[in-house]
Amino acid sequence: DAGITQSPRYKITETGRQVTLMCHQTWSHSYMFWYRQDLGHGLRLIYYSAAADITDKGEVPDGYVVSRSKTENFPLTLESATRSQTSVYFCASIPGGGTGELFFGEGSRLTVL
Amino acid sequence: SQKIEQNSEALNIQEGKTATLTCNYTNYSPAYLQWYRQDPGRGPVFLLLIRENEKEKRKERLKVTFDTTLKQSLFHITASQPADSATYLCARVGHDYKLSFGAGTTVTVRA
């Protein structure tokens, strides 16, 4: 099915472990984004990418790494997970050239113990 | 920095009434403001967009207004139904399509 798919949907890990959240979209949208959502803060931008091999920091990038070797994939890696990174992570995409309507994945709920 | 504030965390209304949600922004007016709906455990879904030069936009039972003088957008759900119960997010579109979101308002419609 066409759309944007995140995996895993749920993940429990321990402090200090590396975790990678995957995001795959089938539309060939130019722009992709990673947001985290926490109570009281709403959605905050972690990283975004305007095209393959082009990435840039958002509002809260510390502790995260991204890559975009292919247009359709935009993985987010927590190199050494901390408890403060317990959150729900959303991947989203935009085709570019429009008015910025975001298409979101279903989210990945990460718990860091 | 550009801020978006939704000043009500929760709104409880009776079925059939109109729900009105407020979104305020700081500094310069964005070219667009967007509204999204988010159901529990799901990703946000785009509802409506309003441009800076538009006063009002409608889509079925939804209406959005944009007042650049007050730096405010209002989102109305008319003839509300229990199925309208969800969290509604306001967002401003910035450079490179980076959206800044408000914290959201959770609407509960009582039958």
Side-chain angles (χ1 to χ4, degrees):
Chain A
D1 287 343
I4 188 162
T5 306
Q6 293 185 232
S7 62
R9 292 291 314 278
Y10 302 91
K11 177 76 176 178
I12 299 175
T13 191
E14 295 177 336
T15 302
R17 299 240 184 204
Q18 183 179 82
V19 176
T20 295
L21 305 179
M22 304 300 293
C23 179
H24 175 79
Q25 53 112 346
T26 59
W27 295 301
S28 298
H29 285 175
S30 301
Y31 287 80
M32 296 188 75
F33 305 81
W34 274 106
Y35 285 87
R36 61 177 289 174
Q37 187 173 39
D38 306 285
L39 277 174
H41 287 283
L43 286 157
R44 291 181 292 174
L45 182 64
I46 304 170
Y47 268 94
Y48 72 103
S49 169
D53 297 321
I54 301 174
T55 62
D56 207 348
K57 296 177 181 179
E59 182 186 352
V60 289
D62 293 343
Y64 303 96
V65 174
V66 293
S67 62
R68 193 157 177 217
S69 57
K70 293 184 178 181
T71 299
E72 60 267 29
N73 296 324
F74 191 38
L76 176 74
T77 298
L78 290 68
E79 293 191 303
S80 179
T82 65
R83 289 181 181 163
S84 65
Q85 292 177 310
T86 293
S87 185
V88 182
Y89 291 85
F90 287 100
C91 181
S93 69
I94 291 176
T99 52
E101 173 190 342
L102 272 177
F103 295 84
F104 282 88
E106 294 292 1
S108 294
R109 181 176 292 274
L110 175 68
T111 302
V112 183
L113 301 176
Chain B
S1 63
Q2 312 306 322
K3 286 192 176 180
I4 286 276
E5 290 183 351
Q6 294 181 250
N7 58 2
S8 293
E9 284 189 6
L11 185 63
N12 295 298
I13 60 169
Q14 186 74 36
E15 183 176 9
K17 301 291 186 184
T18 296
T20 298
L21 286 62
T22 304
C23 175
N24 296 294
Y25 59 89
T26 60
N27 300 326
Y28 63 85
S29 289
Y32 312 99
L33 278 174
Q34 300 180 352
W35 286 88
Y36 289 78
R37 170 182 172 139
Q38 186 174 22
D39 291 292
R42 307 295 298 274
V45 175
F46 174 81
L47 293 174
L48 277 171
L49 171 150
I50 187 163
R51 292 178 169 79
E52 184 180 18
N53 60 356
E54 294 176 322
K55 294 274 194 238
E56 181 179 299
K57 201 79 166 281
R58 290 177 185 261
K59 179 182 176 182
E60 298 172 352
R61 293 183 295 106
L62 306 178
K63 185 178 85 171
V64 176
T65 63
F66 195 166
D67 188 326
T68 55
T69 302
L70 294 178
K71 296 191 175 181
Q72 182 179 85
S73 175
L74 298 180
F75 178 84
H76 307 271
I77 308 171
T78 60
S80 60
Q81 304 168 1
D84 296 325
S85 298
T87 297
Y88 293 86
L89 307 172
C90 174
R92 68 184 295 163
V93 182
H95 173 67
D96 253 355
Y97 302 109
K98 291 184 289 184
L99 270 65
S100 299
F101 285 86
T105 298
T106 298
V107 174
T108 303
V109 182
R110 303 187 309 276

